[in-house]
Amino acid sequence: MMNKLYDTKILIVEDEIIIADYIEELLLEENFKHITIANNKETALIKMTSFLPDIILMDINLKGENEGISLAKSKNNNATVVFITGQHDLVLMNEALKSNPAAYLTKPIKRLDLLATINLAIYKKQSQIFQFKDGYDIVNLNFSDIRYFVAEGNYVNIYTLTKRFTIRQSLMAVMDKLPTDSFKQTHRSYIVNKNKIERVTSNAVVINGLDIPLSRTYAKQFK
């Protein structure tokens, strides 16, 4: 966890240069190594696609126009957003929460609050990821991107909307790594993402137009 913490790529989006530099200084003092700053919307958009941050510390009130909220909707897929605001405006924060941030910080920024928030953001990110080896690579798949798993002998195939991955694990070992509120077994060879089911019949669940077997043993979970 600690190594992953310090390898985290952090983008600071803050138009007040003194505050941005102060946050960067705090993070550097805590041994974070991969930090970059954007002082405006245009630079932030470039950094999101070139730097590919894991966490974005996003000032809501960029240029006094609350641009941070709309900017957060354009983030790279891998990024988790933490909003920064000096405003105690419930309506504004409720609007910001629609973009599903990991947390938010209020100014003035305090060291302990900053570190606790980043730790929380990383923990939330890791708790939403299925990690596995694909050859020599480590792959991190968001649970929300996975549609179903299929066991074939000593291997399990993972299906997303656009890709298939194959791992050497048992289906039971895979199930142990999944959140049971979202992933359910339908058959001795299948696990599905319950949130992706389009229809349930007497002997199948339908995901992306495909009938996946539903045995009597597991049917009660889908009623």
Side-chain angles (χ1 to χ4, degrees):
M1 172 69 178
M2 294 307 291
N3 288 336
K4 288 183 179 180
L5 178 66
Y6 298 132
D7 286 339
T8 300
K9 296 165 71 175
I10 300 174
L11 169 61
I12 303 166
V13 183
E14 170 62 68
D15 59 356
E16 295 186 54
I17 295 174
I18 293 175
I19 295 176
D21 289 346
Y22 172 68
I23 294 172
E24 181 183 36
E25 182 180 336
L26 289 180
L27 294 173
L28 289 172
E29 287 175 358
E30 295 296 330
N31 295 319
F32 287 93
K33 300 172 183 177
H34 308 290
I35 308 165
T36 192
I37 295 174
N39 297 127
N40 54 59
K41 181 177 181 179
E42 294 71 27
T43 304
L45 287 169
I46 293 170
K47 296 286 188 182
M48 286 177 190
T49 55
S50 60
F51 181 63
L52 296 176
D54 299 303
I55 294 176
I56 302 173
L57 301 176
M58 177 80 74
D59 182 19
I60 290 180
N61 202 27
L62 282 176
K63 293 185 178 179
E65 299 175 359
N66 303 330
E67 280 191 344
I69 296 175
S70 60
L71 185 55
K73 297 174 183 177
S74 301
K75 71 180 181 66
N76 52 299
N77 290 334
N78 186 52
T80 297
V81 173
V82 173
F83 280 124
I84 299 173
T85 179
Q87 304 176 42
H88 301 282
D89 186 334
L90 183 59
V91 174
L92 177 62
M93 284 310 305
N94 284 338
E95 183 64 27
L97 290 173
K98 292 178 183 178
S99 61
N100 195 30
Y104 69 91
L105 288 163
T106 55
K107 299 175 184 177
I109 303 296
K110 299 179 179 66
R111 181 190 297 268
L112 289 179
D113 290 346
L114 176 64
L115 295 177
T117 299
I118 288 176
N119 271 286
L120 176 62
I122 293 172
Y123 175 79
K124 283 185 176 180
K125 179 185 284 289
Q126 290 178 339
S127 68
Q128 296 169 4
I129 285 175
F130 184 77
Q131 185 179 88
F132 58 93
K133 289 193 72 173
D134 184 26
Y136 294 103
D137 298 329
I138 299 294
V139 177
N140 292 311
L141 278 182
N142 289 327
F143 288 139
S144 60
D145 291 334
I146 299 172
R147 277 158 170 69
Y148 57 92
F149 299 84
V150 184
E152 292 185 3
N154 295 324
Y155 295 87
V156 172
N157 293 317
I158 307 167
Y159 289 87
T160 69
L161 182 61
T162 57
K163 292 184 179 180
R164 184 188 75 178
F165 299 91
T166 301
I167 57 175
R168 188 179 176 86
Q169 287 187 32
S170 69
L171 198 67
M172 185 177 296
V174 168
M175 191 68 204
D176 286 342
K177 299 176 182 177
L178 299 172
T180 55
D181 58 331
S182 297
F183 288 88
K184 303 292 183 183
Q185 196 161 352
T186 65
H187 179 275
R188 61 194 174 108
S189 299
Y190 288 82
I191 297 170
V192 301
N193 185 339
K194 197 172 181 181
N195 300 316
K196 305 298 182 182
I197 294 175
E198 299 162 359
R199 189 169 70 254
V200 179
T201 69
S202 59
N203 59 5
V205 298
V206 181
I207 295 179
N208 201 35
L210 178 70
D211 285 4
I212 293 173
L214 177 62
S215 68
R216 289 183 182 178
T217 305
Y218 302 103
K220 291 181 180 178
Q221 303 178 89
F222 300 91
K223 290 183 178 178

